[in-house]
Amino acid sequence: MRGAAGRAGRRIAAQGTGSAAGAPVMSQRSTLLHLFAGGCGGTAGAILTCPLEVVKTRLQSSQLTLRPLCLSEIQLPGVSVRLMNATPPSPGVLKLLRAILEKEGIRSLFRGLGPNLVGVAPSRAIYFAAYSGVKERFNAVLVPESKKVHVLSAACAGITSATLTNPVWLVKTRMQLEARAKGEMASSALQCAMHVYRSEGLRGFYRGITASYAGVSETIIHFVIYEALKQQLRNSHHSLSPSLTLSPNSHDFFGLMGAAAVSKTCASCIAYPHEVIRTRLREEGSRYCSFIQTLQLVVHEEGPLALYRGLLAHLIRQIPNTAIMMATYEFIVHLASSTL
């Protein structure tokens, strides 16, 4: 009996050791899963909404807002006087879209897609992996799944992602602002990056990083609202089927897309000015130097409404982009989790 008890004790101890050893492996698998799911979601959204990204960037740029516009001409005896407006209203989304097509061709609507695809997968992958990992740690020390956990997790993930991928987004912005006539060769991503390095050095790749950090507020608002809506979806699903979590059926899929769209709309409208400031900071030249200086300069020269230039294009692009990205991410995570 004593020998049997000893063998049983050793078997239990061995099982306990195996569980402890398996925990890091499971944690590593979870991180890789979130990296893969986030990358897939971000890539799908970027490809489908690239033309609107180009239009939005052009609208945010000072290249449209600082070009004088002739309003009328007054003829006086021996004198011709033109009245000029220093800050003309920016064109609408459709008008600018049509102008780009007519003057530059359809390929210009996909300018910057290369850096976007290079950057969006690692950016979203880093973001979702950081968010998932940080949230897991905060859940262990704070009230699990509380708003404080979601806020801190989103902030850490946003800062991490922005810091590591800012050079890619700077190159993308420069490419999208480069207007070329039809048939004229545009700069490649590598040529653009080399030009930035030669003219501005390594620091040039981090222009606009302060605005990206300010944009973390948008990410925080987005994820707090999204997590709350997702919890409501989960609760309603539990009330119908208590033994299941969200399953990848069409009802839940579109529910997650709706939650992502609503949360991103609210966040974008509140935090949008940082987008305009970031685009101005990434423009070539030294006119815009810092976050506060750019904010004051834009408001002084163009008025407060200039901080919302391109908002409509941003929403038209961002809502489906975020809905596609978040729903794809959740679907892949659930599908992989259920098969592992």
Side-chain angles (χ1 to χ4, degrees), residues 28-314:
Q28 186 178 13
R29 283 182 180 177
S30 176
T31 300
L32 291 174
L33 171 60
H34 286 284
L35 279 166
F36 177 73
C40 288
T43 301
I47 294 172
L48 295 174
T49 60
C50 185
L52 286 167
E53 169 75 9
V54 174
V55 171
K56 180 204 75 170
T57 304
R58 296 283 183 93
L59 287 170
Q60 291 173 343
S61 170
S62 64
Q63 294 175 14
L64 281 179
T65 58
L66 296 181
R67 188 178 296 123
L69 177 69
C70 179
L71 294 180
S72 60
E73 185 172 324
I74 300 176
Q75 294 289 342
L76 297 175
V79 181
S80 178
V81 180
R82 283 191 173 185
L83 299 178
M84 308 294 287
N85 180 12
T87 57
S90 62
V93 175
L94 292 178
K95 186 176 180 181
L96 181 56
L97 188 63
R98 186 165 56 247
I100 293 174
L101 281 172
E102 290 174 356
K103 297 178 181 179
E104 304 176 45
I106 194 169
R107 291 184 63 181
S108 288
L109 292 177
F110 290 90
R111 188 166 292 162
L113 180 59
N116 217 352
L117 292 179
V118 170
V120 73
S123 172
R124 293 296 89 190
I126 291 167
Y127 183 89
F128 281 112
Y131 181 79
S132 176
V134 171
K135 187 170 76 168
E136 184 178 340
R137 286 168 174 76
F138 278 130
N139 278 335
V141 296
L142 300 173
V143 179
E145 299 300 326
S146 62
K147 283 185 173 58
K148 183 181 289 187
V149 169
H150 296 155
V151 167
L152 293 173
S153 301
C156 291
I159 291 172
T160 302
S161 178
T163 302
L164 294 177
T165 59
N166 195 78
V168 178
W169 303 135
L170 180 125
V171 171
K172 181 208 71 172
T173 301
R174 293 283 178 90
M175 291 181 70
Q176 290 176 341
L177 291 177
E178 184 183 30
R180 294 292 180 97
K182 280 186 179 180
E184 193 176 356
M185 286 292 293
S187 301
S188 67
L190 181 59
Q191 288 173 331
C192 184
M194 291 300 296
H195 176 72
V196 172
Y197 179 73
R198 288 195 210 98
S199 58
E200 303 172 53
L202 288 175
R203 291 184 61 182
F205 288 104
Y206 282 89
R207 291 185 63 171
I209 190 68
T210 52
S212 293
Y213 289 156
V216 171
S217 60
E218 177 181 342
T219 304
I220 292 171
I221 296 167
H222 162 52
F223 262 85
V224 168
I225 298 174
Y226 176 73
E227 291 282 2
L229 293 175
K230 193 171 78 170
Q231 188 62 43
Q232 290 295 322
L233 286 172
R234 185 178 286 113
N235 290 340
S236 63
H237 190 83
H238 272 296
S239 65
L240 296 175
S241 181
S243 61
L244 298 175
T245 57
L246 281 174
S247 59
N249 57 47
S250 60
H251 177 74
D252 292 325
F253 188 78
F254 285 110
L256 289 171
M257 288 184 74
V262 170
S263 60
K264 191 63 178 181
T265 301
C266 296
S268 295
C269 290
I270 294 170
Y272 184 76
H274 90 272
E275 291 259 357
V276 175
I277 295 171
R278 184 172 60 193
T279 296
R280 301 294 179 93
L281 286 170
R282 287 176 177 171
E283 289 179 5
E284 194 168 2
S286 58
R287 177 178 171 77
Y288 302 105
C289 304
S290 67
F291 184 88
I292 299 298
Q293 180 261 350
T294 303
L295 175 65
Q296 293 173 340
L297 192 60
V298 171
V299 171
H300 175 71
E301 292 186 344
E302 305 168 43
L305 287 179
L307 294 173
Y308 287 88
R309 290 271 174 91
L311 177 59
L312 180 59
H314 179 70

Side-chain angles (χ1 to χ4, degrees), residues 13-29:
Q15 289 174 351
T17 305
S19 299
V25 176
M26 292 302 294
S27 177
Q28 186 178 13
R29 283 182 180 177

